[in-house]
Amino acid sequence: MHCIKCMIFVSYCLFLNSGFVAALNCTSPTPESLFNGLEKELFSKHLLRPVKSFLNPVDISIAITVVGIVGVVSLHKHLLQLYLHIGMHNEWDIEGLSWDEEECETKRVSVPREKLWVPDVQVAEFMDEDNSPSTPYVYLYNTGRVFDDKPIRVVSSCKLEIYTFPFDIQNCSLTFGPYLHFATDVRMVQGATAEEILQESREVLKTNGEWELADIIIANVALVLSEGEYSEIQYSIILRRRPLLYVVNLLIPSCFLITLDLFSFLLPPQSVDRSSFKMTLILGYTVFLLIMNDLLPITGETTPLINVFFCISLALMVASLLETVFITNIQFSSSQYSAVPQWLSILVLQYLAVVVCIPPKKKIIDPQGMSDDIPLVKPHLALSAPPEPALEELKKLSRDLVAIRLQMDKHFQGSNTSQEWHMIGIVVDRLLFCLYIIFISVSFITIIFYINTF
């Protein structure tokens, strides 16, 4: 009895050491002989994980190849919907399975998928049904290695980042892992490096649309739940937008309109043509923004820089029109204005004038200094009193001289006020012109920098 138990124990140990299945022996170097052995030793056990013990996990080596970037569609202001065609390559070992390559005349065979245990690896970010064609076969090698290659049509979501639109880069993650099996049963292992996957994807990539594949980053992650821990592999697909369409249709026309508004400062400020020209530009720019609104993305958590550029451009156009109205009004009505406030005169004529390189002009001489040059007729200094009619004429002449002097005082005072207002208008006009130049220069440098970066 004791010997029987020992024999049973030894047989069990030999079974564990032999693996999930035994080594195959081909009776003849024909496919029928090999498949008969597989049918007997392997296919009948396709419902079980190919391990010799339930304590051993199956290591699934995974790699992907990005075949096509179908499109990236904005779902709403925070999410993008990504359409990809990828090839998923899975490999795992069947413990104990092997055959002699020379004896069976082959080192690999294709077998039906339903004849083998196949892991339930899926993409966690799936948002739609996978309509990719099914592959009914997998490769089985003489070492027990299984190679599974199948296409996947991925429809997933990723966070929207459009702050640098149209020079934006999107990071979309694809997480591969078993849907049911915990890490104690199925363990995901990286099959190829990120550099190898990126190089192969660029070689086979067929799509030449708006997006291009910039980089791929791989990370091993673990999803821990109360029931257990899942082993997963996360691929970060870095997509870069091709900005040429938006540069040609949005940025360059906008820069042209801004440049036209800049050159409108060369027109005389008092000219009515300058105001009408600026109003026409504002109308054209508004129509341009309405037409191009469909090309702009849905706003995410942050406002894109291109929207800020358009807003500032429109604000500068409106400010230049208001400044032209202000200067035109000064040119024609400044004589009716009151004196310039002291703080405004100091701020504009002493500080801002220096900033925009306009030298201050001298004021008109105070008419009070000319009061001594005006001869006054004093009748009591005459040697002899003139007759009565002559005295009346002298009094009338004296009153006229006083009235003329008052008019001259008022005229010179108005000239000083008008001149100060004119100088303020010139300084403001030059200041806005300098702001235009700075804004256009910074915009062009930024656009050229981003274009060179891409």
Side-chain angles (χ1 to χ4, degrees), residues 139-392:
Y139 268 130
L140 179 61
Y141 287 84
N142 64 327
T143 58
R145 190 75 168 176
V146 181
F147 178 76
D148 183 11
D149 188 1
K150 62 179 180 179
I152 298 179
R153 179 180 178 270
V154 179
V155 181
S156 66
S157 63
C158 51
K159 189 176 180 180
L160 177 63
E161 297 289 347
I162 55 173
Y163 178 71
T164 57
F165 174 88
F167 307 98
D168 53 323
I169 296 177
Q170 305 298 335
N171 186 346
C172 297
S173 298
L174 301 179
T175 306
F176 292 84
Y179 184 80
L180 175 66
H181 294 88
F182 294 113
T184 54
D185 297 328
V186 174
R187 187 168 53 193
M188 304 301 296
V189 180
Q190 179 179 335
T193 64
E195 292 76 13
E196 294 172 346
I197 294 176
L198 180 62
Q199 181 179 358
E200 183 179 358
S201 298
R202 287 176 173 174
E203 291 176 355
V204 302
L205 196 62
K206 303 297 183 182
T207 304
N208 293 320
E210 181 182 353
W211 297 88
E212 62 178 342
L213 184 62
D215 196 6
I216 293 178
I217 302 174
I218 304 177
N220 291 321
V221 295
L223 178 61
V224 180
L225 300 177
S226 58
E227 295 85 0
E229 179 180 325
Y230 289 92
S231 175
E232 296 176 335
I233 297 288
Q234 186 178 77
Y235 292 87
S236 297
I237 311 297
I238 312 299
L239 301 177
R240 180 188 293 117
R241 192 192 301 267
R242 292 188 172 95
L244 183 60
L245 171 67
Y246 301 97
V247 171
V248 173
N249 291 333
L250 289 178
L251 293 177
I252 292 181
S254 179
C255 291
F256 282 164
L257 292 176
I258 288 294
T259 306
L260 278 178
D261 198 32
L262 172 66
F263 282 104
S264 68
F265 283 91
L266 301 178
L267 295 174
Q270 66 274 15
S271 175
V272 180
D273 293 337
R274 179 171 173 177
S275 300
S276 60
F277 181 77
K278 287 182 175 293
M279 285 188 288
T280 304
L281 279 179
I282 291 177
L283 178 61
Y285 195 73
T286 305
V287 174
F288 161 76
L289 291 180
L290 291 176
I291 294 175
M292 293 293 106
N293 189 46
D294 294 336
L295 290 178
L296 296 175
I298 300 175
T299 305
E301 294 181 352
T302 57
T303 302
L305 283 178
I306 191 172
N307 289 5
V308 177
F309 171 75
F310 289 151
C311 290
I312 295 178
S313 300
L314 186 59
L316 282 176
M317 286 185 174
V318 174
S320 67
L321 177 59
L322 294 177
E323 179 261 346
T324 301
V325 172
F326 172 69
I327 292 179
T328 304
N329 184 270
I330 287 178
Q331 295 290 337
F332 291 98
S333 305
S334 59
S335 59
Q336 302 176 5
Y337 291 172
S338 59
V340 179
Q342 186 69 18
W343 65 270
L344 182 61
S345 177
I346 295 175
L347 175 63
V348 176
L349 300 182
Q350 294 187 14
Y351 293 102
L352 292 183
V354 176
V355 173
V356 297
C357 302
I358 295 180
K361 293 185 178 180
K362 296 182 180 180
K363 295 183 179 180
I364 299 175
I365 299 175
D366 191 351
Q368 297 296 330
M370 303 173 59
S371 60
D372 295 337
D373 298 333
I374 301 177
L376 297 178
V377 179
K378 297 182 179 180
H380 63 277
L381 295 179
L383 296 176
S384 59
E388 201 66 30
L391 181 60
E392 292 297 328

